[in-house]
C-alpha cells in the first residue's frame, strides 16, 4: 500500500466487532472506486459465531456491500488455538481475494492492537524485528495485507460506530484470561499510569521498524559483497570470513540469517530463533573467524563451518543413530 500503488479490488475482513464494523462502514461511505467484498470468517469456536456472521451480512447488505461467510472447517488444535485460528483466517481471506480477482485484504487492526502486539513480543523476548510490531502493509499469499487503522485508537472507532448507528458485537474471547493477549490487555491501564502508554509502545514499534529496515538493507548489501560462491550443486554457500568478522555484530548476525534462509530447502519452515543465532554466530562463529581457529556448528539443519578465512554453509550431515545400551 505504498505511494502510487494501484489495486484491482479488496476484501474487507469484518468479524462484527467495533473495529472491523467501522472499517466496513467507512468503506461504504467512500465513493466506490475500488470494488470490495466484505468477508466474515466463522471459526466455529463459539455457538454465537454463525449468528454474528449473519448479522455482519445483514449490515453489509444495508450498506450496499457484497458479503461472503468463510468457514474454518476441520479439526481444531487443543494448543495454540488463537494462533491456528489467525493462520486459518488469513489463509481463507487470501483465498477469497484470489478467487475474486482482488489483490488487497484489509483488516481493522488498531493502535491498541499494535501496542498489545509489541508488549506480547517484549514478554516473549523478541528482537528489533519482533518489537517493530505489525507492518502497515505486507505480502500475504500472493496479495497485499493492509492495515489502514493501525494508527487509530480503538475508542475512536467505537465512537464512529455509535455515531453512525452501525451495530457491533464484542467477542468474549477478547477478555478471556486463558489467552495471553487478554491478560496483557487488563494490564495496559496500569502500565499507562507508569508512562508506558499505547501511544508510546506504538512509537517504539515505528522507530524499530525504521531501524530494522536500515539493518536489513545493510545486511542484504553485505551478503552480496561477501558471497564468494554458491549455493552450488551441493547446496554450499561460502562467505568471506574476514569481511564478515569486521561487520557490526547486528549486521553480521543478519547476514548469516539471510544466508541460512537462502539455503533452506523448506522455505515455509520457521526461521531459526534469534537466541539460537545470537548464541552460535555472535558467541562462537565470529570469535572463531577473528581468532583464525576452526569452528563447526549446526543451525536450522545447516552446518556452519568457519576456517581458512571463510564461512561455509551447507546441509548438515544426517545424525548417526544412537547405539542401544548393552543389556
Amino acid at each position: 500500500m505504498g505511494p502510487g500503488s494501484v489495486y484491482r479490488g479488496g476484501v474487507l475482513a469484518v468479524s462484527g466487532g467495533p473495529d472491523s464494523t467501522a472499517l466496513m462502514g467507512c468503506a461504504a461511505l467512500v465513493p466506490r472506486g475500488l470494488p470490495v467484498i466484505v468477508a466474515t470468517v466463522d471459526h466455529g469456536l463459539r455457538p454465537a459465531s454463525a449468528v454474528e456472521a449473519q448479522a455482519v451480512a445483514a449490515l453489509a447488505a444495508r450498506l450496499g456491500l457484497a458479503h461472503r461467510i468463510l468457514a474454518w472447517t476441520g479439526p481444531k488444535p487443543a494448543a495454540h488455538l488463537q494462533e491456528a485460528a489467525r493462520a486459518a483466517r488469513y489463509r481463507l481471506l487470501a483465498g477469497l481475494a484470489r478467487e475474486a480477482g482482488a489483490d488487497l485484504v484489509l483488516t481493522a487492526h488498531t493502535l491498541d492492537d499494535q501496542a498489545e502486539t509489541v508488549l506480547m513480543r517484549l514478554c516473549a523476548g523478541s528482537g528489533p524485528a519482533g518489537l517493530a510490531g505489525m507492518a502497515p502493509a505486507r505480502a500475504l499469499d500472493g496479495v497485499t495485507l493492509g492495515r489502514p487503522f493501525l494508527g487509530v485508537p480503538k475508542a475512536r472507532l467505537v465512537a464512529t460506530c455509535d455515531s453512525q448507528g452501525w451495530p457491533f458485537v464484542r467477542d468474549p474471547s477478547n477478555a478471556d484470561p486463558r489467552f495471553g493477549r487478554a491478560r496483557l490487555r487488563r494490564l495496559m491501564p496500569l502500565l499507562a499510569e507508569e508512562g508506558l502508554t499505547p501511544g508510546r509502545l506504538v512509537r517504539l514499534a515505528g522507530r524499530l521498524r525504521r531501524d530494522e529496515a536500515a539493518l536489513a538493507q545493510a545486511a542484504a548489501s553485505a551478503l552480496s559483497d561477501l558471497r564468494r560462491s554458491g549455493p552450488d550443486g551441493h547446496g554450499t554457500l561460502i562467505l568471506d570470513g574476514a569481511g564478515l568478522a569486521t561487520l557490526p555484530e547486528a549486521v553480521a548476525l543478519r547476514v548469516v540469517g539471510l544466508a541460512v534462509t537462502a539455503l533452506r530447502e523448506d522455505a515455509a519452515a520457521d526461521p531459526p530463533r534469534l537466541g539460537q543465532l545470537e548464541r552460535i554466530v555472535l558467541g562462537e562463529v565470529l570469535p572463531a573467524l577473528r581468532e583464525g581457529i576452526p569452528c563447526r556448528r549446526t543451525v536450522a539443519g545447516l552446518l556452519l563451518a568457519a576456517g581458512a578465512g571463510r564461512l561455509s554453509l551447507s546441509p548438515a550431515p544426517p545424525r548417526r543413530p544412537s547405539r542401544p545400551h548393552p543389556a
Side-chain angles (χ1 to χ4, degrees):
M1 294 175 63
S5 299
V6 177
Y7 294 98
R8 299 188 302 271
V11 170
L12 309 182
V14 180
S15 65
D19 309 340
S20 59
T21 296
L23 176 66
M24 175 172 60
C26 290
L29 294 176
V30 174
R32 201 63 45 79
L34 181 73
V36 298
I37 300 174
V38 177
T40 302
V41 177
D42 182 1
H43 297 93
L45 299 177
R46 295 182 293 106
S49 63
V51 174
E52 292 168 1
Q54 290 295 340
V56 175
L59 180 57
R62 190 180 108 195
L63 295 172
L65 299 175
H67 181 268
R68 286 277 298 275
I69 296 176
L70 308 175
W72 181 28
T73 58
K76 308 299 190 292
H80 305 292
L81 180 60
Q82 285 200 322
E83 291 85 347
R86 185 180 305 113
R89 180 164 62 250
Y90 283 136
R91 183 176 66 251
L92 290 167
L93 291 168
L96 175 60
R98 292 192 300 269
E99 174 192 326
D103 46 10
L104 182 63
V105 172
L106 295 180
T107 67
H109 290 104
T110 66
L111 180 148
D112 301 71
D113 296 321
Q114 180 76 301
E116 291 163 8
T117 297
V118 173
L119 195 57
M120 287 182 69
R121 294 179 180 178
L122 180 63
C123 292
S126 295
L131 296 179
M134 295 180 283
R138 69 171 177 85
L140 174 67
D141 295 339
V143 300
T144 297
L145 172 66
R147 300 180 173 106
F149 289 165
L150 208 51
V152 180
K154 182 184 184 73
R156 180 175 174 184
L157 299 181
V158 172
T160 298
C161 288
D162 289 339
S163 67
Q164 295 291 331
W166 297 331
F168 59 84
V169 297
R170 296 188 184 275
D171 186 346
S173 66
N174 288 335
D176 191 332
R178 292 178 300 169
F179 302 122
R181 186 178 286 271
R183 294 193 297 271
L184 287 176
R185 189 172 290 134
R186 294 169 61 182
L187 288 176
M188 292 298 287
L190 296 176
L191 295 174
E193 289 180 6
E194 300 299 327
L196 191 60
T197 62
R200 285 182 174 173
L201 284 166
V202 170
R203 283 196 295 274
L204 171 65
R207 289 164 180 157
L208 287 171
R209 192 178 310 113
R210 177 189 62 205
D211 294 349
E212 182 64 22
L215 286 169
Q217 182 178 353
S221 177
L223 176 61
S224 177
D225 293 340
L226 296 175
R227 183 177 293 187
R228 294 297 173 259
S229 69
D232 59 18
H234 302 288
T236 299
L237 187 152
I238 297 175
L239 300 176
D240 175 2
L244 181 66
T246 61
L247 291 174
E249 288 191 341
V251 178
L253 187 67
R254 284 164 175 77
V255 168
V256 177
L258 288 174
V260 168
T261 300
L263 277 179
R264 298 181 76 192
E265 294 182 358
D266 186 0
D270 291 335
R273 290 187 175 275
L274 177 61
Q276 182 189 29
L277 272 180
E278 288 175 332
R279 184 176 66 256
I280 293 176
V281 176
L282 302 185
E284 301 182 58
V285 172
L286 289 182
L289 288 171
R290 293 178 186 128
E291 296 170 19
I293 59 176
C295 175
R296 293 165 64 90
R297 294 293 181 268
T298 301
V299 175
L302 297 177
L303 176 65
L304 277 59
R310 67 182 194 175
L311 175 66
S312 67
L313 297 89
S314 58
R319 292 184 178 180
R320 295 179 180 178
S322 56
R323 296 181 178 179
H325 292 289

